Amino acid sequence: MSKTKGLQNLIKYLSSIPKSASQKTQLGKSTIPTYEKVKKEFPSDARILDYGAGQGLGAKKIKADTFEPFPKKDFKPTFKDTKEIPSSSYENVSSLNVLNVLQQNDRKKAVEEIGRILKPDGPAIISTRGMDVLNAKGTKGIEPMSIVTSRGTYQKGFKPQELKDYVQEVLGKNFTVDVLKNKIGAASIKIKKLKSEKMKVGGMVEKNTYNYNTQRTI
């Protein structure tokens, strides 16, 4: 199936989800203190991209550019399509509670995109939810510590070392990945790109093979 056809199918599926079952974006006002913590992890005031910005409130607080494929009507992100973001274009990248709501294929592509976008020697901060995802009403998911909620959304919790190992495996030897000492979220890591590397463009737009709503939740 072509990428265009896959994207069309995803859009068609998302349009068919009843409002009562659709997910709302996370990262509202309550996350602003978290963004302030993230900014302190960046070594300079160079440009920041918030990858999966939700409502954009946290990104606005730290003056970050934004990527958000499912923005609300009152939010206009810098980028809606990850393919529009140039490679090695941002010194700092943040992505908070995004990977845990993506299914496996999209999660891998999102990590690859963060690595592609990050400048050499620049850091990226990624955080996810943890075992708390299992407190939601729903059914057991296809991965360990995962659930399909009663609203039809997908949540995959991570332990810090699990998140580190997963991202390191996806990005490979041209990146260092470390568990963040100053904890941000249930699991949080810092990525550093060691040298320029060509990466495949395209994340968070893959056909949803498990029929989960791929928009994020509060």
Side-chain angles (χ1 to χ4, degrees):
M1 179 181 292
S2 67
K3 289 183 179 179
T4 301
K5 186 66 174 177
L7 179 57
Q8 289 174 343
N9 287 345
L10 175 59
I11 294 173
K12 182 178 179 181
Y13 168 71
L14 293 176
S15 299
S16 69
I17 299 174
K19 290 183 179 179
S20 60
S22 63
Q23 291 180 320
K24 300 177 182 178
T25 54
Q26 90 287 28
L27 304 181
K29 293 181 180 179
S30 63
T31 66
I32 289 177
T34 303
Y35 272 87
E36 292 173 336
K37 290 180 182 180
V38 168
K39 189 172 183 180
K40 291 178 181 178
E41 294 293 332
F42 294 139
S44 71
D45 291 329
R47 289 199 312 160
I48 303 170
L49 176 72
D50 190 30
Y51 192 92
Q55 299 175 37
L57 300 178
K60 183 178 180 180
K61 181 67 177 179
I62 63 173
K63 298 180 180 180
D65 289 346
T66 52
F67 163 64
E68 175 53 57
F70 303 108
K72 288 190 173 183
K73 292 182 180 179
D74 57 349
F75 173 46
K76 294 183 179 180
T78 312
F79 304 99
K80 288 180 63 176
D81 187 338
T82 188
K83 295 190 293 295
E84 296 174 353
I85 309 173
S87 298
S88 300
S89 57
Y90 281 88
E91 291 85 351
N92 306 302
V93 178
S94 61
S95 186
L96 311 183
N97 286 4
V98 174
L99 298 188
N100 50 272
V101 297
L102 297 176
Q103 61 171 302
Q104 291 169 300
N105 290 342
D106 289 341
R107 187 187 309 137
K108 181 175 182 292
K109 289 180 179 296
V111 172
E112 290 173 341
E113 282 296 273
I114 290 169
R116 179 185 68 82
I117 293 162
L118 188 63
K119 279 190 173 183
D121 293 326
I125 303 296
I126 293 178
S127 72
T128 69
R129 294 178 65 181
M131 291 190 67
D132 61 295
V133 302
L134 301 179
N135 295 330
K137 294 181 179 179
T139 59
K140 187 177 180 180
I142 60 174
E143 301 177 89
M145 208 156 68
S146 68
I147 189 170
V148 181
T149 72
S150 58
R151 293 191 296 172
T153 66
Y154 187 66
Q155 288 280 356
K156 162 71 175 93
F158 283 87
K159 295 179 180 180
Q161 187 65 38
E162 177 190 9
L163 179 62
K164 173 187 181 299
D165 293 344
Y166 168 74
V167 172
Q168 186 71 75
E169 181 180 2
V170 172
L171 292 180
K173 63 183 180 180
N174 291 315
F175 295 81
T176 61
V177 182
D178 296 295
V179 173
L180 203 60
K181 293 181 180 179
N182 298 323
K183 190 176 181 181
I184 297 173
S188 52
I189 57 173
K190 177 179 282 189
I191 301 166
K192 184 177 180 182
K193 188 174 187 176
L194 300 181
K195 62 181 181 180
S196 298
E197 176 173 295
K198 293 182 180 179
M199 291 191 174
K200 184 177 180 181
V201 176
M204 297 179 73
V205 294
E206 188 77 359
K207 183 177 182 295
N208 191 331
T209 55
Y210 300 109
N211 289 329
Y212 301 141
N213 181 351
T214 55
Q215 298 184 63
R216 293 180 307 287
T217 187
I218 292 175

